[in-house]
Amino acid sequence: MIKKLKIQGLKSIDEIILELKNLNLLVGVNSSGKSTIIQSLLIASQNISNDKYNFNGNLVSLGDYSEVRNFNTNAKNINIEIDSIYDKYKFEFFENKDVKITKNNEKNELEFDNGLYYLSASRIGYLDTYEKNIKSVYKYGINGEYCLDYLNKNRSKILDENMVKDDTSLTLYHSVNYWFTYIIGGSVEIQDIKQTDRIKVLFSGKNGIDVRTKNIGSGLSYLISIIIMCLSLEENETLIIENPEIHLHPKAQSRLIEFLIFISKRNRQLIIETHSDHIFNGIRAGISNNEINKYDVSINFLSLDNNYCTVNNPIEIGKRGSIKNCPKDLFDQFDIDLDRMLGL
């Protein structure tokens, strides 16, 4: 679990520091640095095991040094410092393609698929059939492409009791379907296609009729990987999710944040990039209703200063979900549009 992240000289970032909690939101206008923060963690993960200069790999591919340094400030090197509950890491990248990595132990909880996980906005959607992970690499895949195969292989896995909302069964498969039903009103069934490298997935709605994934809304396919990965996290592990709201109705988004709050309260860390006011307001409601302590939440609003460098504005939530320090462009478009409709 990551406690603090400091970034210097990377893309639009001159220097920022983020204090991270169990549940973390990255919000802000486009091209303000949200994705760069995520990329800094992926860069660290790509380099942590090999101890070599690597801006281009399976997790993230950004080009050469001249493309990723902050050219607004003429940055001479790029630094990424990460404080976790186990160790402190420092990554220093230089223009000559040297890299210096400092760490105190060999635990490497930043290693991808072994303490740090990532689900991108380009995650897998609906398909006729899904791949089996026969290579046994990246148990969820780079874009969640193996999530359903992981669920199929681990359907009888017993979860920790505190990770189970409905104790009718303690299995991963039961909990996935419990939350899937609660959030979106459906269930999932996975069938092994014998003597092939594929599985078949069927979704059923309230009518109980099984249908192929391509014959239902896209949101279900995008949602299922989030649920599987979150419920499979071990204590103190970190999952980064880009845009969990993709193709989801506002009601489903609101229920999804209830699920994400549930996961984060069980010593699992979530770092979420979002443009959804429903996700943001769901966290405010959770704090207001004492579903989560505000000190376990970090909301970071990213913007650009006059030099086009990223600025982090931590958002403080007060009583009844109020915003104590509301900056311009923080999910204020509804109010702006309402004023336009009223002619104000």
Side-chain angles (χ1 to χ4, degrees), residues 100-111:
K100 179 181 178 183
I101 301 175
T102 306
K103 56 186 178 180
N104 295 326
N105 62 51
E106 299 302 318
K107 185 174 178 61
N108 285 2
E109 76 253 49
L110 298 179
E111 187 175 4

Side-chain angles (χ1 to χ4, degrees), residues 224-270:
I224 192 68
S225 54
I226 296 174
I227 298 175
I228 293 168
M229 292 179 72
C230 283
L231 286 170
S232 302
L233 287 174
E234 299 294 336
E235 192 170 5
N236 293 321
E237 289 187 333
T238 299
L239 170 61
I240 303 167
I241 308 173
E242 288 183 338
N243 303 114
E245 68 271 13
I246 294 176
H247 294 299
L248 290 181
H249 183 275
K251 180 179 179 180
Q253 294 182 40
S254 180
R255 291 192 170 190
L256 173 59
I257 195 59
E258 291 181 41
F259 169 68
L260 298 176
I261 287 173
F262 174 85
I263 294 298
S264 69
K265 286 179 65 177
R266 280 141 184 88
N267 287 328
R268 276 74 176 170
Q269 185 176 50
L270 301 176

